[in-house]
Amino acid sequence: MSENQAGTLFIVATPIGNLGDISPRALKTLGQVDYIAAEDTRHSARLLKHFNITTPLIAYHDHSDQRRQQKIMDLLQSGCDLALVSDAGTPLIADPGYALVKRARASQLAVIAIPGPCALISALSIAGLPSDRFIFEGFLPVKASARRAHLSALAAERRTLIFYESTHRILDALTDMSQSLGPERHIAIARELTKTYETLIAGTVANVLAIVNSDANQQKGEFVVVVSPCEKQSTTLMDQESERVMKILLADLPLKQAASLGARLTGLKKRDLYQWGLAQADK
């Protein structure tokens, strides 16, 4: 603790499975700070016990009430150093921390990253899919209709897609990917990364879905789904009249309805018109 200046907030990455992945710098930081703010104190207590770290724990989640967040801010402003950890991996990446970091930076407090494990980067590095440009979409919507709509909106994406998925929805997610992205799109699903039963299954959506559907063990655990980018340029022959029709329809209708009606009016494929509309929205 510093008596003359505000403390520092350290964002500390912790193992996503294998405890051997924690860095010496992370261990040193966790042992030297005054407090550790944890997503789940019981979960983090086991990690600290394993490494004989006795730093006091404070429960913190982005949905914590303002009093809890204010308590952490007061500690930082009084000169205490704090480490923020999530249950596994890098905080803020589909985990709590954003609200606290935003507030700390707005108060001109020092925020320092202690880098380490991150499930999405680990999966991307072994997926065998393009890694030069990618986007992370987090967890897909729970409701089927919203999930399919979200995937359809990403169908023409030219960057590699990365999703997190749970045991309870992995089959539904893969089924919807087959419908919305096409059964021949290439994907890789990394399951239980760095843990005892780690697996990676790669191939077309249709092939991967068949494998997972036939093996109950491959439906258990935590998943990272990596999806290849759309490689096909639209083959839609959008002449001036077709473009004019679509622009008129899009002025008053949602893209999905405009593509459906446009297909009937122009004779072009609904999917091609939908992807053309997505491309126009990105311009």
Side-chain angles (χ1 to χ4, degrees):
M1 179 186 297
S2 171
E3 297 180 358
N4 300 316
Q5 60 185 10
T8 297
L9 177 62
F10 295 91
I11 310 304
V12 182
T14 56
I16 58 177
N18 192 318
L19 294 181
D21 291 336
I22 197 165
S23 71
R25 187 182 177 203
L27 289 175
K28 181 179 179 180
T29 301
L30 294 175
Q32 290 184 343
V33 294
D34 299 290
Y35 297 94
I36 297 172
E39 179 182 2
D40 183 333
T41 55
R42 291 171 298 179
H43 182 93
S44 296
R46 293 193 289 271
L47 175 71
L48 299 184
K49 183 178 180 181
H50 179 84
F51 291 107
N52 297 314
I53 295 172
T54 58
T55 305
L57 285 162
I58 301 173
Y60 175 77
H61 195 281
D62 280 344
H63 300 297
S64 299
D65 60 35
Q66 289 296 314
R67 288 179 298 176
R68 178 59 55 87
Q69 194 176 110
Q70 186 59 52
K71 178 182 178 181
I72 294 175
M73 290 297 298
D74 289 344
L75 288 169
L76 287 166
Q77 290 169 335
S78 71
C80 292
D81 291 330
L82 276 85
L84 175 68
V85 299
S86 60
D87 287 350
T90 301
L92 280 76
I93 309 302
D95 275 329
Y98 165 71
L100 181 61
V101 170
K102 180 181 179 182
R103 188 168 177 183
R105 291 191 59 81
S107 299
Q108 298 186 328
L109 296 171
V111 182
I112 295 177
I114 310 296
C118 179
L120 76 93
I121 298 300
S122 298
L124 180 63
S125 72
I126 62 174
L129 296 174
S131 58
D132 54 333
R133 298 174 68 238
F134 62 91
I135 58 172
F136 175 55
E137 288 289 318
F139 286 91
L140 285 165
V142 174
K143 292 185 177 180
S145 58
R147 185 168 56 243
R148 291 171 192 146
H150 188 71
L151 287 167
S152 293
L154 294 169
E157 175 59 57
R158 304 302 299 276
R159 294 167 292 181
T160 294
L161 303 166
I162 305 176
F163 304 93
Y164 284 168
E165 198 48 87
S166 69
T167 295
H168 307 294
R169 291 192 296 274
I170 186 62
L171 278 178
D172 290 338
L174 292 175
T175 300
D176 290 340
M177 285 180 184
S178 180
Q179 176 181 323
S180 300
L181 305 179
E184 297 306 310
R185 182 75 69 96
H186 283 268
I187 67 170
I189 60 169
R191 183 179 73 92
E192 295 290 89
L193 281 169
T194 80
K195 300 174 185 176
T196 302
Y197 298 106
E198 173 182 339
T199 58
L200 179 79
I201 303 174
T204 65
V205 177
N207 290 339
V208 171
L209 175 57
I211 293 171
V212 175
N213 194 41
S214 66
D215 187 347
N217 288 324
Q218 295 300 327
Q219 301 168 27
K220 300 175 182 178
E222 298 176 321
F223 299 84
V224 183
V225 183
V226 185
V227 182
S228 65
C230 178
E231 297 179 353
K232 295 181 180 179
Q233 295 281 0
S234 176
T235 57
T236 308
L237 298 177
M238 291 294 291
D239 56 29
Q240 290 184 348
E241 178 60 18
S242 297
E243 286 193 13
R244 187 184 73 83
V245 169
M246 281 300 295
K247 288 176 180 178
I248 292 173
L249 294 174
L250 286 170
D252 296 307
L253 296 173
L255 175 55
K256 187 175 181 180
Q257 292 181 0
S260 179
L261 184 55
R264 290 159 56 187
L265 293 172
T266 66
L268 297 175
K269 292 182 179 179
K270 177 182 175 181
R271 177 183 287 272
D272 289 339
L273 291 174
Y274 186 90
Q275 293 186 352
W276 179 86
L278 287 176
Q280 301 310 300
D282 290 337
K283 288 183 179 180

